[in-house]
Amino acid sequence: MSTSDPDRTRAILDATEHLLLRLGYDKLTMADVAEAVALHRGLVYLVFKSKDELVEAVVRDALRRYADAWREHLEADPRAGSVAAVYRGMIGTLEHLPLAAAVVARAEDVFGKYLRKRGSVFERLPEISGSHDFLRAMQAAGAVGPDVDVRAVAYVLDALTPAVRRTFGAAPGGQVPSPAAVLTVLERMIDRALPPGDEDQLAAGKAVLLGLLTDARTTMEV
């Protein structure tokens, strides 16, 4: 592959994603990446100065694709303006994006020591959606009732988030339920506490969700 090849960076990112999922961060080397894309290791270093810089680029790329796929999911969901739609979109999307799922799960087998490194991308990237700000925005748009205590609801949802994340890092058939099973329970719980509104309210909620995704994706470009 030529160093002037415009697809070189894309090939490096794709190869690193596959290697991270197969080998994990701790075993991954820049030589592995160079071999996978048929480049001299020095040429890989011309694009990314270190393994950590490369891993950060891969994580950001995975999250951008996650945000884009989530947006497509929301745009196709007739009930996308409900609070439950956030989890429906998240789980439905991550099932098809294994590296993004590993990012969300903070998967030890994939990211290993990198998870505990100071200044890592995990410390500096915000959540794609924060429950409190998201619920306040939904309430301001009329998609969540004015009598709802969004602070209390956000507290409960944020407490559930680690459990939802673990479903993406668990082995099938183990003690941790599948993402689909968790989604079924979450939807029922949330729809009871925060039932979907009428057509206008759903449209307002959908606009809020899409706007937050746009903001999150912009942050990932930094």
Side-chain angles (χ1 to χ4, degrees):
M1 182 184 298
S2 169
T3 58
S4 62
D5 190 331
D7 296 327
R8 182 185 64 238
T9 299
R10 179 74 265 161
I12 292 172
L13 292 174
D14 289 343
T16 305
E17 175 173 341
H18 292 303
L19 289 167
L20 273 173
L21 291 169
R22 181 164 63 88
L23 301 176
Y25 170 87
D26 294 348
K27 294 182 178 179
L28 175 70
T29 68
M30 295 291 268
D32 293 326
V33 177
E35 182 179 356
V37 294
L39 280 173
H40 187 278
R41 183 172 58 181
L43 297 179
V44 176
Y45 277 109
L46 286 177
V47 183
F48 298 101
K49 296 178 182 178
S50 67
K51 183 170 84 168
D52 285 357
E53 182 178 299
L54 173 55
V55 169
E56 172 165 342
V58 170
V59 168
R60 287 181 179 275
D61 181 66
L63 288 178
R64 283 192 292 270
R65 287 186 284 122
Y66 171 33
D68 291 342
W70 197 349
R71 170 179 285 276
E72 291 179 10
H73 195 287
L74 286 172
E75 288 175 339
D77 185 348
R79 296 197 305 153
S82 67
V83 174
V86 174
Y87 292 92
R88 190 160 57 245
M90 179 183 77
I91 294 174
T93 300
L94 287 177
E95 287 185 301
H96 305 289
L97 297 171
L99 187 65
V103 172
V104 170
R106 306 298 195 263
E108 182 77 27
D109 61 326
V110 175
F111 293 106
K113 295 176 182 177
Y114 185 73
L115 291 170
R116 294 174 289 280
K117 282 198 170 185
R118 294 190 64 180
S120 77
V121 68
F122 290 104
E123 286 186 355
R124 291 179 283 110
L125 277 177
E127 295 290 339
I128 286 184
S129 62
S131 296
H132 186 258
D133 291 343
F134 150 68
L135 288 170
R136 284 186 62 188
M138 291 283 277
Q139 192 172 55
V144 169
D147 58 331
V148 172
D149 184 341
V150 295
R151 184 166 175 263
V153 174
Y155 180 84
V156 173
L157 292 180
D158 289 344
L160 293 173
T161 297
V164 176
R165 283 177 170 166
R166 283 196 296 274
T167 68
F168 292 102
Q175 294 183 340
V176 178
S178 69
V182 171
L183 172 61
T184 298
V185 173
L186 274 174
E187 281 194 287
R188 290 176 180 173
M189 290 171 56
I190 294 171
D191 280 345
R192 281 179 178 272
L194 302 169
D198 59 25
E199 186 174 332
D200 289 341
Q201 290 169 323
L202 285 174
K206 184 174 182 177
V208 168
L209 292 175
L210 293 175
L212 290 172
L213 276 176
T214 297
D215 292 344
R217 197 190 188 290
T218 300
T219 300
M220 292 166 204
E221 299 287 351
V222 177

mmCIF file of all heavy atoms in Angstrom, residues 3 5 39 43 62 151 178 190 206:
data_model
loop_
_atom_site.group_PDB
_atom_site.id
_atom_site.type_symbol
_atom_site.label_atom_id
_atom_site.label_comp_id
_atom_site.label_asym_id
_atom_site.label_seq_id
_atom_site.Cartn_x
_atom_site.Cartn_y
_atom_site.Cartn_z
ATOM 1 N N THR A 3 2.221 5.035 0.617
ATOM 2 C CA THR A 3 2.039 5.990 1.720
ATOM 3 C C THR A 3 1.140 7.141 1.311
ATOM 4 O O THR A 3 0.650 7.883 2.149
ATOM 5 C CB THR A 3 3.399 6.539 2.180
ATOM 6 O OG1 THR A 3 4.049 7.156 1.064
ATOM 7 C CG2 THR A 3 4.262 5.440 2.745
ATOM 8 N N ASP A 5 -1.584 6.647 -0.455
ATOM 9 C CA ASP A 5 -2.907 6.066 -0.661
ATOM 10 C C ASP A 5 -3.911 6.762 0.250
ATOM 11 O O ASP A 5 -3.749 6.748 1.479
ATOM 12 C CB ASP A 5 -2.863 4.572 -0.354
ATOM 13 C CG ASP A 5 -4.131 3.848 -0.771
ATOM 14 O OD1 ASP A 5 -5.206 4.496 -0.775
ATOM 15 O OD2 ASP A 5 -4.045 2.654 -1.084
ATOM 16 N N LEU A 39 2.094 -2.810 5.488
ATOM 17 C CA LEU A 39 2.939 -1.620 5.520
ATOM 18 C C LEU A 39 4.125 -1.861 6.443
ATOM 19 O O LEU A 39 4.042 -2.665 7.383
ATOM 20 C CB LEU A 39 2.162 -0.408 6.048
ATOM 21 C CG LEU A 39 1.225 0.338 5.112
ATOM 22 C CD1 LEU A 39 0.450 1.390 5.886
ATOM 23 C CD2 LEU A 39 2.003 0.992 3.971
ATOM 24 N N LEU A 43 5.921 3.273 8.596
ATOM 25 C CA LEU A 43 4.899 4.014 7.859
ATOM 26 C C LEU A 43 3.623 4.156 8.678
ATOM 27 O O LEU A 43 2.918 5.151 8.569
ATOM 28 C CB LEU A 43 4.617 3.311 6.527
ATOM 29 C CG LEU A 43 5.804 3.254 5.555
ATOM 30 C CD1 LEU A 43 5.408 2.516 4.286
ATOM 31 C CD2 LEU A 43 6.304 4.651 5.228
ATOM 32 N N ALA A 62 -15.202 4.397 16.050
ATOM 33 C CA ALA A 62 -16.276 3.466 16.388
ATOM 34 C C ALA A 62 -17.481 4.210 16.961
ATOM 35 O O ALA A 62 -18.639 3.880 16.648
ATOM 36 C CB ALA A 62 -15.772 2.427 17.388
ATOM 37 N N ARG A 151 -34.685 14.805 37.959
ATOM 38 C CA ARG A 151 -33.476 14.511 38.738
ATOM 39 C C ARG A 151 -33.546 13.104 39.319
ATOM 40 O O ARG A 151 -32.572 12.353 39.268
ATOM 41 C CB ARG A 151 -33.320 15.543 39.846
ATOM 42 C CG ARG A 151 -32.049 15.411 40.679
ATOM 43 C CD ARG A 151 -31.820 16.668 41.502
ATOM 44 N NE ARG A 151 -30.678 16.526 42.382
ATOM 45 C CZ ARG A 151 -30.765 16.181 43.660
ATOM 46 N NH1 ARG A 151 -31.953 15.977 44.220
ATOM 47 N NH2 ARG A 151 -29.677 16.077 44.409
ATOM 48 N N SER A 178 -29.114 -11.310 28.118
ATOM 49 C CA SER A 178 -28.765 -10.737 26.820
ATOM 50 C C SER A 178 -29.233 -9.283 26.738
ATOM 51 O O SER A 178 -30.152 -8.874 27.456
ATOM 52 C CB SER A 178 -29.426 -11.533 25.702
ATOM 53 O OG SER A 178 -30.834 -11.346 25.735
ATOM 54 N N ILE A 190 -39.782 1.792 31.696
ATOM 55 C CA ILE A 190 -39.751 3.210 31.339
ATOM 56 C C ILE A 190 -41.088 3.669 30.782
ATOM 57 O O ILE A 190 -41.563 4.767 31.093
ATOM 58 C CB ILE A 190 -38.605 3.480 30.343
ATOM 59 C CG1 ILE A 190 -37.256 3.229 31.018
ATOM 60 C CG2 ILE A 190 -38.660 4.919 29.829
ATOM 61 C CD1 ILE A 190 -36.070 3.266 30.064
ATOM 62 N N LYS A 206 -38.270 13.374 19.548
ATOM 63 C CA LYS A 206 -37.362 12.888 18.508
ATOM 64 C C LYS A 206 -36.385 13.979 18.093
ATOM 65 O O LYS A 206 -35.188 13.724 17.890
ATOM 66 C CB LYS A 206 -38.169 12.410 17.307
ATOM 67 C CG LYS A 206 -37.353 11.788 16.199
ATOM 68 C CD LYS A 206 -38.272 11.211 15.123
ATOM 69 C CE LYS A 206 -37.506 10.531 14.009
ATOM 70 N NZ LYS A 206 -38.407 9.906 13.015
#
